[in-house]
Amino acid sequence: MVVKVYKTAEEIGKAAAAMYAAQVIKKPDSVLGFATGSTPIPTYKSIIELYNEGVIDFSQVTTFNLDEYSGLDGTHDQSYRYFMMQNLFNHINVRKDAINIINGNSGDDEKACKEYEERINKAGGIDLQILGIGNNGHIAFNEPADYFPNETHTVKLTESTIEANKRFFNSADEVPKYALTMGIGSIMRARSIILIATGSAKAQAIYDSVKGNITPNCPASVLQLHNDVTFLVDEAAAAKL
Ligand code: F6R
């Protein structure tokens, strides 16, 4: 595990984007893993800049996203598919049929999860996966639990998550109650992993992930067992290390 500390979110974005560029230069048909949330936005901006400068060609890559809400169509402005199209995919030359995001609106979430895991395996596994981290150490939608879930699966959102997300919807009833997420095994099987974190609210989770015990109470702590993981964090997120 390598931990690099930066001054600003922009510097983290540039560093993470450079790792994506290096990966695609090394292997033009790479399988790239992406995340949603606010932390990766500067990374996606930098990736788009590198693409516009002609540094990265995404024409041969395949992408997989970590998670998606259940019951939202991909055109819904709160769906993770919509987020990815707006913040990255519409601005680079990735083939639309090479974009994989779990289908949360198929009517059969269990089947969608199983198919997604199979699709990752069929693609040969993920070469480079970026992760954000929750204040409680969650990665993707894998919340603190009694065990590490292995494959892509459905999760019931906690009341606090539903409450926190209410502001993005017209009413609380519209907030999805379930989500579909890659499991800890799906993530750990990626060949390289970057975890990015900014701000003091993430400091305890970063400490627990890097220096704490490996425990499903802090899902990101499992990354200590991965042989190619790089944490890119700002000084506030690194404050307790
Ligand atoms: C998003 C995801 C989540 C976020 C995490 C941090 O696809 O998997 O685990 O990475 O909740 O979110 P932000 O970056 O908004 O702090």
Side-chain angles (χ1 to χ4, degrees):
M1 179 179 272
V2 175
V3 181
K4 294 185 178 173
V5 183
Y6 295 84
K7 286 228 174 317
T8 65
E10 283 66 37
E11 284 176 43
I12 293 175
K14 281 199 167 71
M19 292 172 79
Y20 274 92
Q23 174 64 44
V24 178
I25 287 165
K26 184 172 79 177
K27 186 181 172 205
D29 60 347
S30 287
V31 179
L32 304 176
F34 289 109
T36 57
S38 52
T39 319
I41 288 176
T43 300
Y44 298 159
K45 281 204 175 108
S46 292
I47 289 178
I48 294 165
E49 275 167 26
L50 292 177
Y51 168 70
N52 288 333
E53 287 162 12
V55 177
I56 322 184
D57 172 15
F58 290 98
S59 61
Q60 295 179 58
V61 308
T62 301
T63 75
F64 284 91
N65 257 78
L66 287 172
D67 41 18
E68 179 58 286
Y69 284 121
S70 173
L72 289 193
D73 190 75
T75 55
H76 191 290
D77 65 5
Q78 291 306 320
S79 75
Y80 286 176
R81 174 175 286 276
Y82 186 89
F83 174 98
M84 288 308 299
M85 298 311 293
Q86 294 300 311
N87 287 289
L88 184 63
F89 297 146
N90 281 341
H91 309 282
I92 60 175
N93 67 335
V94 60
R95 286 182 297 110
K96 297 291 175 270
D97 63 350
I99 295 170
N100 295 284
I101 297 174
I102 314 170
N103 183 359
N105 205 25
S106 70
D108 188 343
D109 287 348
E110 298 295 330
K111 190 165 162 232
C113 289
K114 198 164 173 282
E115 279 173 4
Y116 196 72
E117 193 72 29
E118 283 166 7
R119 235 187 295 160
I120 297 173
N121 293 334
K122 219 170 144 200
I126 295 168
D127 290 304
L128 178 62
Q129 174 68 56
I130 193 163
L131 301 173
I133 184 169
N135 297 353
N136 61 2
H138 74 223
I139 47 178
F141 264 119
N142 296 285
E143 298 290 350
D146 296 336
Y147 63 95
F148 292 116
N150 183 1
E151 299 191 332
T152 304
H153 61 286
T154 57
V155 287
K156 193 171 181 346
L157 301 185
T158 60
E159 281 307 318
S160 67
T161 303
I162 293 170
E163 197 55 33
N165 289 357
K166 206 167 68 178
R167 66 189 192 281
F168 299 119
F169 293 83
N170 293 326
S171 71
D173 288 350
E174 270 186 35
V175 185
K177 307 290 179 286
Y178 290 87
L180 301 84
T181 181
M182 274 167 53
I184 294 295
S186 333
I187 294 169
M188 288 294 279
R189 285 186 283 278
R191 284 178 273 279
S192 301
I193 296 176
I194 309 171
L195 184 145
I196 53 174
T198 53
S200 56
K202 304 283 171 76
Q204 188 63 45
I206 292 297
Y207 175 84
D208 291 342
S209 307
V210 175
K211 298 243 168 106
N213 295 330
I214 298 167
T215 163
N217 286 324
C218 175
S221 65
V222 77
L223 297 170
Q224 292 175 36
L225 295 173
H226 196 282
N227 64 7
D228 185 358
V229 55
T230 308
F231 277 49
L232 307 176
V233 299
D234 70 359
E235 287 169 352
K240 291 183 192 265
L241 290 178

